[in-house]
Structures are given as C-alpha cells and as structure tokens.
Amino acid sequence: MQTDMKLGRDVFRAMGSSVVLITPGDVEPIVRDRALHAVEEEFAEQEQRFSRFRADSELSIANRAETRPTRVSGPFAALVGRALRAAAATDGLFDPTVLPAMIAAGYDRTFEDVIVTAREVLRPPTPTGRWREIVLDLDLLRLPDGVGLDLGGIAKGWTADRAARLAAEIVPWGLVDAGGDIRTFGDLPRGGIPIGVEHPFDAQVEVLRLSLTHGALATSSIVRRSWGPNLHHLIDPRTGLPAATDVVQASIWADTCAEAEVNAKVALLRGVPALGDLAATLVLEDGSVVTSMPLAA
C-alpha cells in the first residue's frame, strides 16, 4: 500500500505479513499508541487461534480431532460459518478444505521455510470440495475424515475488519493494512485516502490507484507466494492442484475485508469474466492490467 497524505503510520508483524495502522497525522502519540496496542492485541489473539503452523492453535487442535466433535470458541465458530457460507455462495471456488491439497503441493510449513527448502510436489493432487460435509452446530464442529481446514486468507481479512472496529473506538478515522488486506474505518477525509497497489512484476509500477472512502480492498497474488514452476498457494478446488490461471494478481473492493479476500481468490480462478460482477483490477500473466474499478487510474 502507498499513500500520498501526511499520516501516522505504525508497522508490526503478524500472520506472516507486515501489518500497518494508518491514523490521522494530528492524533496525539498516547492516543495513537492505544490504537496500535488494540490492533496488535487483536492480531496476536486471532493468529494464535487460526494459525495452522502452531500446534497449540485452536485451528490445529480442531484439525487433529479428525471426525470427533470439537467444541470451539465463539469467534472460531463465527469464522468457520462465514467460510462455509462463502463456499456455498461461490459454488466451491472458495473452499476452506483445501489444506490437504496445499500440503501435497509443498506448502506444509511457514512460507519462509518453504522458500528455504523449495521442492517439487511430493504427493499426487488431493481431492477438495468437501466443505459440504462439515457439521457446525453452534459451538460444536465436526470435520469429515481426511479433511483439514485452512482459514489463512479469510482469517487475515476478518481480523483486519475486527481490528479496524477496535481502532475506530480510539481514533476518528484510518485504516488497517494486513499485507494488502486493507480495511478503512471512521469518517475519512473528504476524497478518501489515496491507495496505490504495486505491479506484481515491478514494485516501482502501480497497477491501481484509487481513493478509498469506505469499505475494504484486498489484493491476492500467486507471484509472491510461489516456490517453483506452477507451485503456489492458490489451490484450484476443481483440480486439487495449484491453479493454472492467466491472472497473477487480483485486487478487489468490497464492504468488508473478509468479503474482499474471498472474492480476490475467486477472481484469480475465474479470470477476466470476474470483472462482470466484481469491483476488480486484475494483472494478467503477460503483465497487462484489466479493471472494472471506476476510480482506478
């Protein structure tokens, strides 16, 4: 994210990304620190809950339970419910059960560790699309045999939404940017906050510049989380393999960051036809840019 306004800017690491809190430049330091602390605490809490790389996370515990019913926390149940509704709404293009396929493709450790020891696919494609078999009854979750949840992207966007709501109780306006998942909050200045999105092949070039007045923007790319030819984190639920797509990056505007995150993944899979019903800017594999965002330069 790049902005042109004079703003307060604080950065920390969470969920494998740099998280940025943008606040008005005239906010007193003690107030800004309170907002930053609230945002950091929220990200720390949800990373502990949803990280698949922590053995003691609530997600890891639920995945290890296999077919046994597991009692989960209210936030965990809320996000799983949201993920299942997103899967139904996208006819399975968004699929929270791609974890076995992602592991089979080599993404079985943190991305930093994958890059250090990059390797080819070790196992054949793993079937996906079993989200319909998940049973969620209030706070009781039961996964079907052989199914594991991966809530990484939607969890990060959902956490950005929650963190923005907390910050809005402390400072008048601003935004939370979690590695490209951007959620605005409060009464933003007239004209909004100018945002630039980098080209995946050249960080010095912007593929998108718009003024965010409300809502959220999420950008997803198969370039940055790639560890070999045709090996990346975006699993196509229709094949169980890293997606073969002519779109390498998708930026989506939506009311919430969780929704934008889901639609960014869907747009990467659908390609240019996604412009027909999403506010999207897509970078194609040849480097060209197509958009349906009216405020994109």
Side-chain angles (χ1 to χ4, degrees):
M1 178 200 72
Q2 301 171 3
T3 66
D4 296 329
M5 303 174 67
K6 185 176 181 181
L7 303 167
R9 187 177 188 273
D10 294 287
V11 185
F12 62 94
R13 292 287 298 179
M15 295 186 169
S17 301
S18 290
V19 181
V20 183
L21 173 64
I22 297 293
T23 52
D26 58 357
V27 168
E28 293 186 8
I30 190 170
V31 176
R32 180 170 148 186
D33 286 346
R34 282 177 52 212
L36 176 62
H37 179 71
V39 170
E40 285 184 303
E41 287 282 295
E42 182 65 25
F43 272 90
E45 179 181 347
Q46 304 312 332
E47 183 169 17
Q48 176 57 47
R49 176 170 282 126
F50 293 113
S51 174
R52 68 182 177 95
F53 304 115
R54 297 184 178 186
D56 62 342
S57 73
E58 191 170 359
L59 178 68
S60 294
I61 292 169
N63 282 337
R64 286 198 300 270
E66 298 176 336
T67 60
R68 299 187 304 276
T70 305
R71 196 171 298 279
V72 296
S73 66
F76 193 97
L79 185 57
V80 170
R82 184 163 195 159
L84 293 177
R85 291 192 297 274
T90 62
D91 197 25
L93 279 183
F94 173 81
D95 185 352
T97 68
V98 297
L99 179 59
M102 195 176 298
I103 291 173
Y107 197 177
D108 53 1
R109 291 145 289 162
T110 65
F111 186 69
E112 289 78 6
D113 289 339
V114 170
I115 287 299
V116 169
T117 57
R119 54 189 168 82
E120 297 297 325
V121 176
L122 297 183
R123 292 179 289 281
T126 301
T128 59
R130 299 184 63 192
W131 53 271
R132 296 177 181 85
E133 303 173 44
I134 294 173
V135 176
L136 179 63
D137 184 9
L138 297 178
D139 64 346
L140 282 178
L141 173 70
R142 184 174 64 79
L143 301 178
D145 186 37
V147 166
L149 291 174
D150 175 35
L151 300 170
I154 192 174
K156 188 170 66 169
W158 180 80
T159 302
D161 290 329
R162 288 171 61 98
R165 287 194 292 272
L166 292 173
E169 298 175 359
I170 304 169
V171 294
W173 55 265
L175 63 80
V176 176
D177 177 1
D181 287 355
I182 302 172
R183 176 63 190 268
T184 63
F185 62 87
D187 187 12
L188 270 62
R190 184 178 181 133
I193 299 180
I195 301 294
V197 177
E198 297 175 354
H199 198 292
F201 300 144
D202 185 352
Q204 304 304 311
V205 175
E206 289 183 349
V207 300
L208 170 65
R209 175 151 287 265
L210 74 167
S211 292
L212 279 182
T213 59
H214 65 290
L217 182 75
T219 296
S220 186
S221 170
I222 64 172
V223 175
R224 294 178 182 173
R225 290 189 181 270
S226 174
W227 55 95
N230 301 315
L231 294 175
H232 53 77
H233 76 293
L234 180 70
I235 299 296
D236 188 335
R238 297 166 295 192
T239 65
L241 291 169
T245 172
D246 60 355
V247 178
V248 298
Q249 181 170 290
S251 298
I252 303 290
W253 182 91
D255 287 329
T256 69
C257 219
E259 180 185 358
E261 250 288 342
V262 167
N263 287 336
K265 299 296 189 298
V266 170
L268 282 167
L269 293 171
R270 289 178 59 196
V272 174
L275 298 177
D277 51 18
L278 295 174
T281 295
L282 309 179
V283 181
L284 307 184
E285 59 185 350
D286 64 2
S288 60
V289 180
V290 291
T291 185
S292 59
M293 288 184 179
L295 297 181

